[in-house]
Amino acid sequence: MKSIVILISGRGSNMEAIVRAGLPAKVAAVISNRADAAGLKFAAQSGIPAKVVDEREFSSRGAFDAALEAAIERHSPELVALAGFMRILGVDFVRHYSGRMVNIHPSLLPAFPGLHTHRRALQEGVKLHGCTVHFVTPQVDHGPIIAQAAIPVHAGDTEATLAARVLQQEHRVYPLAIRWFVEGRLAVENGIVRVDGSDARQVLLVEE
Ligand code: GRF
């Protein structure tokens, strides 16, 4: 059975969704860059080894990345899943996990890479918003797109209501994308992700 290491920084609701999805894979460990990440508790309660690689204990990005890599490699995972991991990783680290590290981002990339995606979506007046699961590449929030879920933006939406509705979709689309990965159904050709199997739906459209 393939194994996954999940990296978190905070709440960990996406990690929880992945664990609860009953995937044909083992979540071998959850690693946080912050000791106070709430999600560590769920991991420990679920019997998943939970480890902190505290970013404050390292003076350089290189030293932190090396420690993180060592913590991951103890489990020899097939996949590293970033789930609300709020730290930019160095180019060498990202290259090391090329094609086997994925991320969830709360916007329909390539729109709104970076932070405050819901606020920016409202400011731009977009009518569709959502989330994206993508392979991680050195350019932050720009890797090959595996799957997206889109929701309508309503007139009365606030940053909080949008965030909540997008998060519901994150919990749906991230486990699905990881399932495709562990089933060996993903291939990247010229930066475009193909999913093997005719029933694979890379776009989830939510009608409200
Ligand atoms: C999610 O919105 C994710 O897309 C973003 O950070 C948030 C993390 O939430 N990268 P959680 O820790 O998974 O609950």
Side-chain angles (χ1 to χ4, degrees):
M1 192 182 258
K2 287 187 177 147
S3 75
I4 306 169
V5 167
I6 304 178
L7 306 188
I8 65 168
S9 298
R11 183 177 52 189
S13 70
N14 277 291
M15 167 207 64
E16 207 172 317
I18 295 164
V19 170
R20 289 188 194 279
L23 299 174
K26 176 184 173 199
V27 178
V30 170
I31 303 174
S32 171
N33 60 325
R34 299 180 50 125
D36 61 358
L40 288 168
K41 208 167 147 195
F42 171 84
Q45 283 167 354
S46 310
I48 299 167
K51 171 153 179 79
V52 176
V53 180
D54 191 337
E55 60 185 16
R56 290 169 307 183
E57 288 172 11
F58 299 89
S59 53
S60 70
R61 171 180 291 176
F64 171 81
D65 284 1
L68 183 61
E69 187 176 322
I72 294 170
E73 286 313 309
R74 231 162 270 146
H75 304 278
S76 309
E78 273 80 17
L79 181 69
V80 175
L82 310 184
F85 187 70
M86 299 302 287
R87 192 184 155 100
I88 293 174
L89 295 160
V91 172
D92 290 344
F93 183 97
V94 171
R95 291 222 171 103
H96 180 77
Y97 290 104
S98 176
R100 52 198 184 104
M101 181 157 64
V102 292
N103 181 43
I104 180 114
H105 181 75
S107 78
L108 293 175
L109 291 173
F112 313 124
L115 297 173
H116 309 301
T117 55
H118 310 303
R119 188 188 311 167
R120 288 155 62 206
L122 288 172
Q123 282 166 352
E124 293 294 339
V126 297
K127 306 306 175 208
L128 276 178
H129 186 43
C131 54
T132 302
V133 182
H134 64 95
F135 282 108
V136 177
T137 54
Q139 196 181 352
V140 175
D141 300 331
H142 271 86
I145 292 170
I146 302 169
Q148 295 185 305
I151 62 160
V153 179
H154 301 310
D157 265 324
T158 63
E159 212 177 321
T161 61
L162 264 192
R165 294 205 333 280
V166 169
L167 191 65
Q168 281 182 5
Q169 299 312 313
E170 293 185 37
H171 296 164
R172 214 175 139 212
V173 76
Y174 207 3
L176 180 64
I178 290 179
R179 177 179 294 276
W180 291 339
F181 181 93
V182 298
E183 288 175 351
R185 290 165 71 183
L186 300 182
V188 185
E189 295 157 20
N190 300 322
I192 307 295
V193 179
R194 308 269 174 232
V195 184
D196 185 32
S198 55
D199 62 337
R201 292 169 59 221
Q202 283 175 276
V203 181
L204 307 183
L205 246 187
V206 180
E207 302 196 21
E208 294 177 347

